[in-house]
Amino acid sequence: MPHLTKYKRILFITLLAALAAGCREEYDPGIDVSQKVLVVEGMVTGLDEPATVTLSMAEPYNSGSGAAAVTGAYVYLRDDKGKIDVLRADYDGHYVSDSSFRGVAGNSYTLNIQTSDGVVYRSTQQTLLPAAGIDSIYGELSQQEFIYKDVWGNTTGKMEKGVQTYADFHSSAGDSLHYRIGTHMLIGYSHTDPTTKPFATIYYFWKKLEKDRTISVTGDDNSISTGVMTRYSAHFFPLNPFLYGMADDQNLENFFLQVRVYTLNDEAFAYYRELSRQLSSTGKLFDPIATQVYGNITCPGDDSKLVLGFFEASGCVKKTYWVQPLTGENRVAYGQTYDLDGLPESGKTIQERPYFWHF
Amino acid sequence: MSFAGLSPNLLALMHFGTLIKQSLTCLILITGLQTMAQSQRILPTDTSRLVSYEELFSALGQRDTILFYYQPEWFAGKTVHPSIASLTLTDALRRVGSLSGLDFVVIDNHSVVFVPRESSAENRVQDDAGVMVIGNLLQSGKFPRATVTGTITDGTTGGPLPGAIVSVEKLRAHAVTNREGKYSLVLPAGQHLLTVKYVGYQDLAARIRVVSDGECNLDIFEKSLQLQAVVITDQRAGMNISRTQMSALRLDAKTIRELPVSLGETDIIKSITLLPGVQSVGEFGSGFIVRGGNTDQNLVLVEDVPLFNSSHLFGLNSAINPDLISGVTLYKAGIPARYGERSSSVMAVKLGGSNSKTMKAHGGIGLLNSRLAVEVPLLKQKVNILLGGRTSYSDWLLQKLPDIDLQNSSAGFYDLNGVLTIDAGKHDKLSFSGYYSSDRFAFSRETNYRYSNLLASARFTHIFSSKVSTSLITGMSRYLFGMKELDTLNPYDGNRVDFGIDYNNVKWALNWFPGNRHSVELGINGILYRNHPGELLPYGGQSLVLPRRVNDEKGVEAAVYLSDDIEFSSRFSIEAGVRVVRFSLLGPGYEYLYAGGLPRTVENIRDTLYFGSNTEITTHYGIEPRLSLRFSLDEQRSFKLSYTRIDQFVNLLSNTSVISPTDTWKLSDTYLQPVVSDQLAAGYFHNLRNNTVEASAEVYFKRLQNLPEYKNGASLLLNDHLATDVITASGYSYGLELFLKKNSGDLTGWISYTYSRSMEKTDGTALIEMINGNRYFPSNFDIPHNLVVNLNYHLTRRWRASATFTCHTGRPVTLPELRYTFDGKQIIWYSDRNKYRLPAYHRLDVAITRDQSLKLNRKWKSSWTLSVVNLYGRNNAYSAFYAREDPRTWNYSGNYSLYKLYILGVPLPTITYNFNF
């Protein structure tokens, strides 16, 4: 039926034009929330670092303002031995323990807060579990699909070559523990100025990359987690310099990766798992319905008062590795290096490589 | 041209058939002709007037250049409906042969000779006054009453007409033909005026004289060759008033063919959602909502076995091929005792063809899929085979869309149906049906989904007498789902998950008709469920995933029921029944015992009990009374009342915002108790203008117990301890349904308005087992206002236009209220469950159809339908969600926004080419 061809061609174009209009749009249901809700982010680890607590106020979801810090609070930790550590205000909304404070595996801690209006908040008791052990961090040349978005919001995919890093770690206290993995990334690149005499000048730059975009937890029923975790996919570093905002005359040299493995108790795992699900939700048709993620902070004087956030006491181990792609040899070199904590967001050295760059 | 008058000599030779047809031609011409008449007359356009056979032969002869030979007295004074002239020559001759009791022989393609049939199957005997005699005249006066049985058929096609009303008005004796077009009436001996009524057909009145038990088979004819307007009717004309059953929607094959077209073809489920009390879950959602109940509370039966997933392509199409449906009935309330299993509604789909005497085929070609159905009668219609299939070709569409996820996606389906019916004698009938559907879709390259439905059933029906019949049905249904995930970045996590459910049933029913106004049904049902909650397997050569399997579930549901439908008078009738059901969850399996007074969590498991194979783990009983009452004020007005209780032992677990194919089934156990529904409904029904306008108002109240709900963050797939994530809720729903429908004339259609609420609440004692603090909240299916206006207008005999406007309150949703920063990331605090609503939904769909040719001699007939869905392009929200950019986005801003998802944002034109031959 030749006459059908003409009809189909017209309809094909019409249909495409129709569907190309997209299938989602931003939506403002006009929610007006006046509720004032405290947000608590507390952390005790067994590392050589102080306990920290951050207090802020939640904002209406459509508010343009940032989170308001909560200052003037009295914050202290009590362990199950009765020992109390009072935290001091560091900067707006941040409270830290004395530098001598160390979390101890097997101990349980409770966070107590009294805000300036006299309201008392308290966490459930959190037991600090032994830290895991990181066996190795390593990389392999690989490729991954990246998504690029144009000014109209249309997305296209492109495969990028790069270095896929992995971590192997193990439990120090048996099987089936829950972990949260945090990563900090940094790139090292250089620029050579050949015009200087008698020698060319070499500049070494570093720049921290943004933090993880999601929260990674393992130990879910569907994962391969056991007491030993191998080839945990830590981070993918693309080799395309454009993606790091580098100039044409700059050379990408190395990647640096710090991996922190937190050993979570059941309550912390359940909390982070829910956060992870929420953060990874991209609006797919069959995503689970939205749910309220309750933390472990309550207001003893008013059970109905909503408090958000979580106080966590987790064993933690961290290691930092350098990773160098050797594309000519079709392999990746890697090795352990110095801790990157305290390093500025970016910096440079001249002629001499930075201290963490020596390997 | 017509030639009448044939010599007896020739008649004898005719029995040798076509082997001697050449020589017969000469004989006819030489010796046979006694009279010859020529006519140029065309059949009258008034199709309500019967014509003589002479006129019919004249028209056929002129059309097909055919000569007819017969004895004039065979057709003298007899008339026939002119629509026979619209059939092909072969069909027309068969029809004439059937009506006259004559055989025919076609010679040289232009001569037709009628000859007496050796043994006529027709048993119509007329007395001297022309009254049809029923029974054996030799037995006159022997019986005071007798049973008249028979078949009502379409006089044009010969197909049976289910749902026709056969009555003797003076005696107020009525019978409705069954799916085979058969009826049975007990009448006093003597003379009666028997009438037959069927919507769209001319009323027939026949004088009969009842002597003893006997048959009276009658043909009726369509009022006009013009296609009837779209009519969805809950009963045949007047039956919505006089029938005891309420809240039932019935569609026959003819009506289904003329339902509004959606994306290229008629969709039975989408059409039903245009009726009061029935709503769609979304723009193109899977399943439907009946009176505030969840989608899994609807029992969709295809030839008496349930279809566990009734949709293709996320609900873009229904899983049932409309070309093979011979009838659909949806019960919203007053559900007969023979049905149970699901707590909200029963949708019974019957498959079958037109019972044509010749092979028929019909199908359609669309932009996204095509379909074909073929019906083949064998052995003089004693065996009938119906085969059909559909397949899609939609991948190309996805690849053209400007979204990476959609470009990497694919989707498609196909389904196959088959029905075999065997007429095994006057009292026995055997039928087999089979159905298979397969769907596949992938949202990205990494994740692939597949699911399939397999159904099969066999039915044996035996009629012991005009008062007693029985049927035995056995069937199976299998739903399988598979999901494969292989991330190229992390092949070590490659995995596949498979789950499904098997269903086997046996039904036996005994029907007893003590009188015209009294019927009793007794039956036994047995169901075996085998639920496979899931199995996790490694996928891909590098996968390190450890295989894991959640234990299968096995359950047996047994039910016995008794139903009595009795009409005490023309004003009052009652249908009362009871269904007693027992469900057992059988081993092998585990039961976890949780610490008393504490929330059910894995940590609070105190003991684990193991049950061996076929050992009862838990047992539930249910007694389900059913009652329907009718009180007629007169022939045009009636009140009805019904009460229904149903226990449901299998639930679909879903915590996604829309019904997802990944949702799994779960049998009732110790913790997930059976859903129990109690529904009380009342209605007022009023027909106007000689039943051409129907009006009704129904109210209902439904109480639901043990509804499955989900804890925050519940994980339902591959969960060994579902009781720790699933909690139960109780709920209620109520509503008012108003319906006004016009059935005839150039303009037809209906207006439907529904007000309904559906609420539920938990009663947990721990925070994690509460939803909204144990306060009542709107269920996912709470849609208070729903208005549907459907209009159809016949522009000409071949052109018709239709428009459907729907408008309803937006569905309840849970939306973000607060945001805060944690671990450097923006986190959302969501509102109480279903605290907000999506914007109101409204849409206008229009269509114009050019129906098939009315030319009489055309074998290949086709029609075109051009439709535009969402004419004014409203972005109706299907769901709302709060989403960030995909973390793989390089120029990731970390932005998050609240979005509404809509399926159709612009007018969507579709065109359908349908054909039959």
Side-chain angles (χ1 to χ4, degrees):
Chain A
M1 288 173 282
H3 60 285
L4 269 181
T5 310
K6 182 181 170 186
Y7 287 116
K8 280 191 173 178
R9 191 171 297 149
I10 295 168
L11 285 164
F12 171 78
I13 295 166
T14 310
L15 195 59
L16 287 186
L19 292 174
C23 53
R24 74 179 198 179
E25 67 179 19
E26 286 199 35
Y27 170 49
D28 181 6
I31 295 170
D32 181 20
V33 180
S34 55
Q35 199 175 4
K36 301 292 182 189
V37 179
L38 177 69
V39 180
V40 179
E41 183 175 3
M43 167 70 81
V44 171
T45 69
L47 291 176
D48 184 15
E49 55 190 26
T52 59
V53 172
T54 304
L55 302 180
S56 60
M57 298 301 290
E59 296 292 321
Y61 93 98
N62 51 0
S63 162
S65 61
V70 175
T71 57
Y74 176 64
V75 182
Y76 66 94
L77 292 167
R78 180 196 292 271
D79 69 13
D80 53 351
K81 308 288 190 300
K83 181 170 178 288
I84 291 177
D85 289 277
V86 179
L87 279 66
R88 61 179 169 81
D90 186 16
Y91 54 96
D92 284 353
H94 291 258
Y95 301 82
V96 295
S97 66
D98 186 84
S99 59
S100 62
F101 176 86
R102 297 288 176 272
V104 178
N107 280 7
S108 299
Y109 298 88
T110 306
L111 174 65
N112 297 271
I113 301 163
Q114 184 173 11
T115 51
S116 58
D117 56 3
V119 180
V120 173
Y121 302 89
R122 185 172 300 140
S123 77
T124 56
Q125 186 170 277
Q126 296 293 302
T127 301
L128 195 151
L129 298 176
I134 296 178
D135 301 314
S136 178
I137 295 171
Y138 49 97
E140 294 174 1
L141 290 174
S142 179
Q143 57 181 357
Q144 184 177 327
E145 186 172 41
F146 276 69
I147 295 170
Y148 297 92
K149 195 168 62 175
D150 64 20
V151 292
W152 294 283
N154 296 328
T155 54
T156 52
K158 183 185 173 190
M159 298 303 287
E160 294 283 358
K161 291 181 179 176
V163 176
Q164 176 62 51
T165 57
Y166 300 96
D168 293 349
F169 51 92
H170 64 275
S171 164
S172 302
D175 293 345
S176 301
L177 291 184
H178 301 137
Y179 306 109
R180 178 168 68 91
I181 294 94
T183 51
H184 291 86
M185 292 74 66
L186 182 146
I187 59 166
Y189 55 99
S190 65
H191 166 66
T192 302
D193 183 358
T195 61
T196 56
K197 303 295 181 183
F199 305 106
T201 304
I202 303 175
Y203 299 88
Y204 295 95
F205 301 92
W206 77 85
K207 182 163 68 175
K208 282 188 176 176
L209 302 181
E210 63 175 297
K211 285 188 71 176
D212 294 337
R213 293 164 179 179
T214 58
I215 288 176
S216 297
V217 289
T218 67
D220 201 351
D221 290 343
N222 296 342
S223 86
I224 60 176
S225 174
T226 61
V228 176
M229 172 63 83
T230 55
R231 297 183 69 83
Y232 171 78
S233 179
H235 189 75
F236 180 83
F237 293 99
L239 297 180
N240 184 352
F242 166 77
L243 299 177
Y244 302 107
M246 292 168 49
D248 289 344
D249 56 357
Q250 292 174 330
N251 299 314
L252 185 61
E253 300 264 353
N254 300 293
F255 303 112
F256 300 88
L257 177 69
Q258 183 196 70
V259 174
R260 284 175 172 245
V261 180
Y262 299 91
T263 308
L264 306 181
N265 59 35
D266 290 341
E267 199 173 357
F269 173 70
Y271 180 76
Y272 278 107
R273 183 181 58 185
E274 291 314 306
L275 289 192
S276 173
R277 285 177 180 170
Q278 188 186 105
L279 288 167
S280 59
S281 170
T282 54
K284 291 286 194 301
L285 200 58
F286 301 139
D287 278 348
I289 54 174
T291 55
Q292 296 169 331
V293 184
Y294 286 96
N296 61 347
I297 319 285
T298 57
C299 177
D302 182 0
D303 288 341
S304 64
K305 193 174 181 69
L306 178 65
V307 189
L308 301 175
F310 198 82
F311 166 64
E312 172 186 1
S314 298
C316 182
V317 61
K318 62 178 178 179
K319 278 189 178 176
T320 307
Y321 274 64
W322 58 268
V323 179
Q324 185 177 30
L326 303 172
T327 51
E329 302 173 33
N330 197 29
R331 69 182 184 90
V332 176
Y334 50 86
Q336 194 168 354
T337 187
Y338 298 95
D339 195 349
L340 300 178
D341 288 346
L343 196 68
E345 291 291 308
S346 61
K348 70 175 178 183
T349 58
I350 301 173
Q351 300 296 54
E352 185 77 10
R353 287 186 170 89
Y355 70 93
F356 54 89
W357 200 325
H358 290 280
F359 41 80
Chain B
M1 288 184 178
S2 302
F3 290 80
L6 206 59
S7 77
N9 300 335
L10 180 59
L11 296 179
L13 291 172
M14 289 298 98
H15 296 297
F16 290 99
T18 56
L19 293 175
I20 55 169
K21 62 182 181 182
Q22 295 295 333
S23 53
L24 277 177
T25 307
C26 299
L27 286 170
I28 291 164
L29 294 175
I30 297 167
T31 66
L33 299 180
Q34 291 185 353
T35 58
M36 182 177 106
Q38 280 195 357
S39 174
Q40 296 296 322
R41 282 186 298 164
I42 304 298
L43 282 175
T45 53
D46 177 7
T47 55
S48 65
R49 189 179 76 76
L50 300 181
V51 298
S52 67
Y53 278 92
E54 187 182 347
E55 288 175 301
L56 174 70
F57 294 149
S58 172
L60 292 172
Q62 184 183 2
R63 187 189 77 186
D64 297 324
T65 322
I66 288 287
L67 303 175
F68 290 89
Y69 300 88
Y70 53 87
Q71 291 284 13
E73 59 267 29
W74 292 342
F75 300 109
K78 294 182 180 177
T79 55
V80 66
H81 195 274
S83 63
I84 293 179
S86 67
L87 301 177
T88 62
L89 181 64
T90 306
D91 286 345
L93 290 174
R94 284 180 175 152
R95 198 74 204 114
V96 170
S98 169
L99 292 170
S100 64
L102 299 170
D103 282 337
F104 63 90
V105 178
V106 179
I107 301 169
D108 283 344
N109 292 327
H110 55 74
S111 298
V112 175
V113 180
F114 286 99
V115 295
R117 193 173 291 169
E118 279 187 338
S119 58
S120 175
E122 298 294 325
N123 63 345
R124 292 182 189 178
V125 178
Q126 294 185 341
D127 64 11
D128 296 339
V131 177
M132 193 182 302
V133 178
I134 308 298
N136 187 345
L137 278 170
L138 298 175
Q139 295 177 317
S140 290
K142 191 175 178 182
F143 301 103
R145 299 171 69 84
T147 302
V148 179
T149 57
T151 306
I152 305 300
T153 51
D154 183 313
T156 306
T157 67
L161 295 173
I165 302 168
V166 184
S167 58
V168 175
E169 294 293 341
K170 275 193 173 179
L171 302 175
R172 292 192 175 277
H174 304 280
V176 179
T177 56
N178 63 14
R179 61 181 299 198
E180 284 88 29
K182 294 184 184 303
Y183 72 94
S184 175
L185 269 176
V186 177
L187 298 172
Q191 191 165 309
H192 307 286
L193 182 65
L194 189 76
T195 59
V196 182
K197 292 184 177 180
Y198 193 76
V199 167
Y201 284 66
Q202 291 177 5
D203 293 351
L204 175 70
R207 290 212 167 274
I208 60 172
R209 185 150 70 90
V210 177
V211 176
S212 61
D213 290 355
E215 283 192 7
C216 179
N217 301 321
L218 296 167
D219 298 308
I220 58 174
F221 294 86
E222 285 192 74
K223 283 178 180 170
S224 165
L225 285 178
Q226 177 179 318
L227 284 173
Q228 298 299 301
V230 177
V231 178
I232 295 180
T233 176
D234 61 347
Q235 283 98 17
R236 290 290 164 199
M239 287 300 285
N240 62 322
I241 303 293
S242 60
R243 199 178 181 122
T244 313
Q245 174 73 52
M246 67 179 295
S247 305
L249 309 165
R250 298 164 198 278
L251 295 84
D252 59 24
K254 182 173 182 294
T255 306
I256 290 166
R257 283 198 302 273
E258 297 168 5
L259 288 172
V261 170
S262 172
L263 282 183
E265 66 180 41
T266 299
D267 190 301
I268 190 71
I269 289 180
K270 286 185 178 54
S271 298
I272 274 183
T273 61
L274 299 177
L275 296 165
V278 190
Q279 288 159 327
S280 165
V281 294
E283 191 96 40
F284 284 104
S286 170
F288 53 95
I289 303 164
V290 176
R291 292 185 169 173
N294 201 340
T295 54
D296 71 337
Q297 293 170 7
N298 305 314
L299 179 66
V300 179
L301 290 172
V302 178
E303 288 292 312
D304 294 296
V305 286
L307 188 63
F308 282 92
N309 189 330
S310 62
S311 68
H312 285 308
L313 293 177
F314 333 112
L316 283 175
N317 284 84
S318 294
I320 310 164
N321 185 344
D323 287 341
L324 280 86
I325 300 175
S326 64
V328 175
T329 305
L330 177 76
Y331 299 95
K332 299 182 291 183
I335 297 173
R338 62 179 172 276
Y339 295 117
E341 304 179 43
R342 306 291 175 84
S343 55
S344 269
S345 75
V346 175
M347 179 175 167
V349 178
K350 294 295 179 189
L351 303 180
S354 61
N355 285 343
S356 168
K357 293 178 180 176
T358 59
M359 192 182 102
K360 297 276 185 190
H362 46 186
I365 300 170
L367 287 178
L368 298 178
N369 65 74
S370 290
R371 64 190 198 280
L372 180 68
V374 180
E375 184 181 3
V376 184
L378 299 170
L379 303 175
K380 295 183 178 178
Q381 283 187 286
K382 290 195 177 300
V383 176
N384 195 286
I385 299 171
L386 179 65
L387 297 171
R390 289 186 298 176
T391 185
S392 71
Y393 29 83
S394 48
D395 282 353
W396 61 269
L397 195 63
L398 292 165
Q399 286 157 15
K400 302 295 178 189
L401 301 178
D403 182 278
I404 182 64
D405 279 336
L406 292 175
Q407 286 167 12
N408 290 337
S409 300
S410 62
F413 74 86
Y414 68 88
D415 58 39
L416 301 167
N417 299 65
V419 180
L420 170 66
T421 54
I422 301 170
D423 206 347
K426 196 174 179 181
H427 300 294
D428 298 300
K429 187 166 185 179
L430 200 55
S431 66
F432 302 90
S433 74
Y435 170 86
Y436 179 75
S437 74
S438 174
D439 273 73
R440 58 170 179 83
F441 58 96
F443 279 133
S444 63
R445 291 193 186 99
E446 289 85 17
T447 309
N448 291 282
Y449 304 86
R450 283 182 181 276
Y451 65 86
S452 64
N453 286 292
L454 174 64
L455 278 70
S457 68
R459 169 196 285 263
F460 172 70
T461 305
H462 178 74
I463 300 171
F464 292 104
S465 69
S466 60
K467 292 184 176 179
V468 181
S469 66
T470 186
S471 62
L472 180 67
I473 302 159
T474 182
M476 61 81 64
S477 176
R478 169 175 290 177
Y479 174 66
L480 296 176
F481 181 87
M483 180 170 53
K484 292 176 182 172
E485 193 169 12
L486 183 58
D487 188 346
T488 51
L489 172 65
N490 189 5
Y492 311 100
D493 270 343
N495 67 84
R496 57 176 293 178
V497 175
D498 297 299
F499 61 83
I501 186 166
D502 277 304
Y503 173 103
N504 295 274
N505 70 342
V506 177
K507 296 182 181 181
W508 172 77
L510 180 71
N511 293 281
W512 177 41
F513 305 96
N516 288 340
R517 301 170 185 173
H518 190 192
S519 65
V520 178
E521 183 173 350
L522 170 70
I524 300 172
N525 292 0
I527 301 166
L528 172 65
Y529 297 97
R530 291 177 186 273
N531 186 34
H532 317 291
E535 184 175 19
L536 176 73
L537 295 169
Y539 181 61
Q542 301 180 69
S543 175
L544 299 175
V545 168
L546 302 174
R548 198 159 66 81
R549 180 187 177 90
V550 178
N551 290 330
D552 286 358
E553 292 180 317
K554 184 159 75 174
V556 172
E557 182 179 337
V560 57
Y561 67 88
L562 180 66
S563 175
D564 192 347
D565 186 359
I566 185 165
E567 185 178 342
F568 292 105
S569 71
S570 60
R571 284 180 175 267
F572 183 64
S573 63
I574 182 169
E575 182 175 353
V578 63
R579 182 182 176 92
V580 180
V581 61
R582 179 184 192 273
F583 175 82
S584 297
L585 183 70
L586 303 177
Y590 295 92
E591 183 177 291
Y592 300 102
L593 303 181
Y594 298 88
L598 295 174
R600 285 201 302 264
T601 64
V602 175
E603 293 74 25
N604 290 334
I605 292 175
R606 291 293 175 265
D607 200 359
T608 303
L609 303 179
Y610 176 75
F611 294 85
S613 182
N614 294 323
T615 309
E616 285 190 347
I617 298 174
T618 186
T619 302
H620 301 287
Y621 295 91
I623 297 175
E624 303 172 354
R626 313 288 172 87
L627 182 67
S628 295
L629 302 171
R630 172 188 61 87
F631 180 75
S632 294
L633 301 174
D634 51 39
E635 289 188 345
Q636 306 296 319
R637 296 177 297 162
S638 65
F639 284 107
K640 296 182 187 180
L641 187 70
S642 73
Y643 167 75
T644 307
R645 165 174 276 215
I646 297 184
D647 295 74
Q648 180 173 333
F649 303 101
V650 57
N651 295 282
L652 186 65
L653 302 182
S654 172
N655 66 341
T656 53
S657 55
V658 296
I659 297 301
S660 154
T662 58
D663 298 338
T664 56
W665 292 88
K666 172 84 180 77
L667 302 183
S668 293
D669 60 18
T670 307
Y671 302 105
L672 184 63
Q673 297 273 315
V675 174
V676 182
S677 152
D678 293 277
Q679 184 182 182
L680 187 64
Y684 171 69
F685 302 84
H686 192 165
N687 284 7
L688 305 162
R689 296 187 176 184
N690 196 24
N691 291 328
T692 58
V693 176
E694 295 177 11
S696 67
E698 292 189 45
V699 291
Y700 67 90
F701 178 83
K702 189 158 57 173
R703 188 185 67 167
L704 292 156
Q705 302 170 60
N706 306 323
L707 292 166
E709 267 296 348
Y710 311 98
K711 291 181 184 175
N712 283 332
S715 174
L716 304 179
L717 190 60
L718 290 169
N719 188 338
D720 272 319
H721 310 94
L722 267 174
T724 63
D725 274 344
V726 178
I727 52 181
T728 53
S730 57
Y732 65 87
S733 57
Y734 60 90
L736 165 70
E737 296 167 3
L738 303 175
F739 192 46
L740 181 66
K741 182 178 60 174
K742 182 173 181 291
N743 286 332
S744 64
D746 286 338
L747 178 67
T748 61
W750 68 88
I751 299 173
S752 154
Y753 169 75
T754 303
Y755 175 78
S756 66
R757 297 306 307 267
S758 174
M759 310 292 284
E760 58 184 73
K761 72 184 276 288
T762 55
D763 56 1
T765 52
L767 182 65
I768 60 172
E769 293 181 337
M770 296 179 189
I771 296 176
N772 295 1
N774 285 347
R775 297 182 301 277
Y776 272 107
F777 63 94
S779 78
N780 291 337
F781 311 104
D782 179 53
I783 302 173
H785 302 281
N786 187 21
L787 173 71
V788 175
V789 180
N790 179 275
L791 298 173
N792 305 275
Y793 186 70
H794 282 266
L795 304 166
T796 68
R797 286 167 66 94
R798 289 191 65 184
W799 286 92
R800 56 193 164 100
S802 64
T804 304
F805 176 72
T806 55
C807 176
H808 60 72
T809 316
R811 284 196 300 129
V813 286
T814 305
L815 293 178
E817 287 189 330
L818 298 170
R819 64 180 171 86
Y820 59 99
T821 304
F822 191 91
D823 193 30
K825 302 164 182 70
Q826 295 280 357
I827 308 296
I828 300 303
W829 172 258
Y830 285 91
S831 69
D832 281 350
R833 186 81 60 92
N834 290 343
K835 181 178 175 182
Y836 297 95
R837 283 189 183 278
L838 292 173
Y841 177 106
H842 51 89
R843 194 179 95 188
L844 176 63
D845 301 342
V846 295
I848 187 160
T849 299
R850 183 174 184 266
D851 282 317
Q852 63 186 30
S853 167
L854 299 179
K855 289 182 180 174
L856 301 177
N857 57 347
R858 179 165 290 182
K859 281 194 172 181
W860 176 284
K861 293 192 174 183
S862 61
S863 65
W864 289 90
T865 298
L866 173 65
S867 64
V868 182
V869 178
N870 195 15
L871 183 68
Y872 51 80
R874 178 174 167 80
N875 295 350
N876 283 304
Y878 183 61
S879 67
F881 59 92
Y882 209 42
R884 290 170 174 74
E885 286 180 305
D886 191 317
R888 294 174 298 166
T889 308
W890 180 252
N891 40 352
Y892 177 80
S893 63
N895 285 340
Y896 54 93
S897 297
L898 181 62
Y899 295 96
K900 66 175 183 180
L901 174 72
Y902 56 92
I903 306 296
L904 281 177
V906 290
L908 177 61
T910 58
I911 192 163
T912 317
Y913 177 73
N914 293 307
F915 58 86
N916 63 74
F917 57 89

